[in-house]
Structure formats: C-alpha cells, structure tokens
C-alpha cells in the first residue's frame, strides 16, 4: 500500500479528524448522546492522514486509469449509441 495523498492533505485530514473527535466528545458530555458512525468517520480521517492512504482516492484513481492506452472521451461513447 503506497501513499496516495500528499503531506499537506494528510495534515489537513489529521487536523480535521481530531477536531471532529473533539467536538463529538464535547457533544457527548453535554447531551449524553453521540452517533457512533460519526466517531468512526472522524477516526478514519485521522488514520488516513497518518498512513497517507485514502481508499476512496485509490478507487477513483483506479476507475479513471486508462488500460488500453487509448484516450476516449464520453462524447465518443455517446456517438456509438446515437447511430
């Protein structure tokens, strides 16, 4: 697993994740309720920043990669169907 995000991006993810976790902790102390999925998402942001790997970025890069070496735009695909 090689890093697919940069240093600045990873620092932003760590900062945002820790900020989200802090706000969720404050909210949990005040109202005694917090959604566990929000804690998981905030923790994922911190982990992505630490390891410098984002699975969504990797999936997007894999989908947008050319495999045959021929660059085709979306208009070329539409022309096939309109004939």
């Amino acid at each position: 697993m090689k890093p697919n995000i940069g240093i600045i991006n990873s620092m932003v993810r760590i900062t945002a994740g820790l900020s989200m976790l802090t706000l969720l902790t404050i909210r949990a102390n005040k109202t005694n309720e917090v959604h566990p999925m929000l804690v998981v998402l905030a923790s994922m942001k911190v982990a992505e920043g630490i390891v410098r790997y984002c699975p969504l970025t990797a999936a997007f890069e894999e989908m947008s990669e050319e495999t045959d070496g021929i660059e085709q735009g979306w208009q070329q695909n539409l022309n096939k169907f309109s004939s």
Side-chain angles (χ1 to χ4, degrees):
M1 178 171 66
K2 74 178 197 178
N4 63 354
I5 59 174
I7 294 289
I8 302 295
N9 194 341
S10 69
M11 294 297 169
V12 169
R13 286 174 193 259
I14 292 171
T15 304
L18 290 175
S19 298
M20 286 170 42
L21 283 173
T22 302
L23 290 174
L24 290 171
T25 303
I26 292 170
R27 182 178 174 191
N29 284 337
K30 284 185 178 179
T31 63
N32 239 1
E33 60 184 52
V34 64
H35 201 283
M37 187 57 85
L38 293 175
V39 175
V40 169
L41 291 175
S43 302
M44 279 180 51
K45 287 297 154 196
V46 174
E48 288 172 1
I50 291 172
V51 298
R52 294 184 52 206
Y53 179 80
C54 177
L56 290 177
T57 303
F60 179 74
E61 288 175 353
E62 185 178 324
M63 284 176 40
S64 64
E65 225 173 62
E66 294 176 24
T67 56
D68 59 358
I70 300 171
E71 184 176 341
Q72 294 182 344
W74 60 272
Q75 290 178 335
Q76 292 174 348
N77 292 336
L78 290 178
N79 289 337
K80 290 181 193 177
F81 298 114
S82 64
S83 304

